[in-house]
């Protein structure tokens, strides 16, 4: 089903009053699932949310922070990261890359770039709903329910796919490839969570 894999952008304006969101403004998101349209997302400003909260609370709702998108140059530097690989595979053929996509999403969650907002237990699938912190996009990822035995080969595949592209941080490439400096900060994320609630 096409709706199993999807990326839903965050709106730049409120779904009710259409006011533009400002940087670091609270933003209330409802994700609904309909037979006709699949996942439908609506973002609301705090004022509308308090004065006219929607009756239909959907599959999931959460409060997040609206962050102004980074300038495009900053994006271009990030080739071959877990995020760009995830996007590419979801774009290409999410069904056949299901395992790798899922592991990438878990990696991004560990790095605090993804926030898991909800899970939806459908008859045909378990869907994990992640929000990408930087852009507020919603990533709908099917959980392939990997067993421990299946996990390791997929993880190796992911590491191979990321190759030397996944540099994690500011550190320049070390001259020798043999001993990558795995120490350092495990998360590698630039920011601590901003107190989002589930
Ligand atoms: Zn509004």
């Amino acid at each position: 089903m096409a709706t199993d894999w999807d990326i839903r952008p965050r709106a730049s304006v409120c779904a009710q009053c259409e006011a533009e969101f400002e940087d670091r403004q609270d933003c209330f998101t409802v994700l609904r699932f309909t037979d006709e349209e699949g996942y439908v997302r609506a973002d609301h400003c705090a004022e509308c949310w308090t004065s006219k909260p929607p009756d239909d609370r959907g599959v999931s709702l959460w409060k997040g922070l609206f962050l102004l998108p980074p300038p495009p140059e900053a994006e271009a530097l990030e080739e071959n990261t877990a995020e760009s690989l995830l996007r590419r595979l979801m774009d290409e053929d999410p069904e056949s890359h299901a395992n790798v996509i899922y592991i990438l999403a878990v990696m991004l969650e560990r790095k605090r770039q993804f926030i898991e907002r909800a899970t939806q237990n459908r008859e045909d699938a378990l869907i994990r709903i992640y929000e990408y912190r930087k852009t507020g996009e919603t990533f709908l990822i099917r959980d392939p329910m990997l067993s421990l035995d299946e996990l390791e080969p997929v993880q190796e595949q992911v590491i191979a796919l990321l190759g030397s592209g996944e540099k994690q941080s500011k550190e320049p490439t070390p001259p020798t490839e043999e001993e990558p400096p795995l120490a350092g900060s495990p998360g590698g994320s630039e920011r601590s969570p901003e107190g989002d609630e589930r």
Side-chain angles (χ1 to χ4, degrees):
M1 192 187 290
T3 50
D4 282 4
W5 306 94
D6 204 359
I7 303 174
R8 299 261 139 183
R10 168 156 58 199
S12 60
V13 300
C14 169
Q16 283 167 266
C17 70
E18 297 186 357
E20 274 194 38
F21 291 125
E22 284 166 27
D23 197 27
R24 311 200 71 78
Q25 182 180 339
D26 284 339
C27 177
F28 296 79
T29 301
V30 191
L31 190 72
R32 301 187 176 88
F33 184 70
T34 63
D35 291 337
E36 307 79 48
E37 295 177 85
Y39 292 96
V40 180
R41 171 179 173 152
D43 301 291
H44 306 260
C45 74
E47 210 170 300
C48 292
W49 187 265
T50 345
S51 58
K52 286 174 287 177
D55 297 328
D56 176 6
R57 317 216 111 201
V59 174
S60 169
L61 62 88
W62 64 86
K63 179 184 164 201
L65 263 192
F66 181 84
L67 297 177
L68 275 184
E73 318 86 78
E75 292 287 281
L77 292 174
E78 298 183 40
E79 288 300 313
N80 240 356
T81 59
E83 180 220 341
S84 63
L85 181 59
L86 176 78
R87 285 182 193 276
R88 183 159 64 75
L89 297 179
M90 282 181 77
D91 199 40
E92 273 172 17
D93 184 0
E95 288 297 324
S96 58
H97 298 303
N99 295 346
V100 169
I101 288 175
Y102 175 69
I103 295 297
L104 287 169
V106 172
M107 283 174 65
L108 288 164
E109 189 190 9
R110 290 212 189 109
K111 291 203 236 169
R112 303 235 167 106
Q113 297 182 16
F114 269 25
I115 310 165
E116 188 174 320
R117 290 303 192 181
T119 54
Q120 187 195 14
N121 218 331
R122 298 210 319 252
E123 273 175 36
D124 55 338
L126 175 65
I127 307 294
R128 295 191 182 273
I129 297 161
Y130 293 100
E131 190 177 48
Y132 182 37
R133 185 185 292 280
K134 192 154 66 173
T135 60
E137 291 161 294
T138 310
F139 284 68
L140 303 158
I141 309 273
R142 200 176 62 200
D143 188 336
M145 307 288 202
L146 294 171
S147 67
L148 278 178
D149 287 353
E150 293 165 322
L151 206 56
E152 203 173 313
V154 181
Q155 282 171 333
E156 279 164 17
Q157 201 186 341
V158 168
I159 291 166
L161 279 168
L162 287 170
S164 53
E166 179 76 331
K167 289 284 154 45
Q168 305 267 353
S169 65
K170 313 98 205 171
E171 300 218 349
T173 318
T176 47
E177 296 283 347
E178 287 153 55
E179 294 170 291
L182 284 177
S185 61
S189 61
E190 63 280 69
R191 218 172 284 153
S192 59
E194 11 244 3
D196 298 277
E197 52 220 37
R198 307 273 297 254

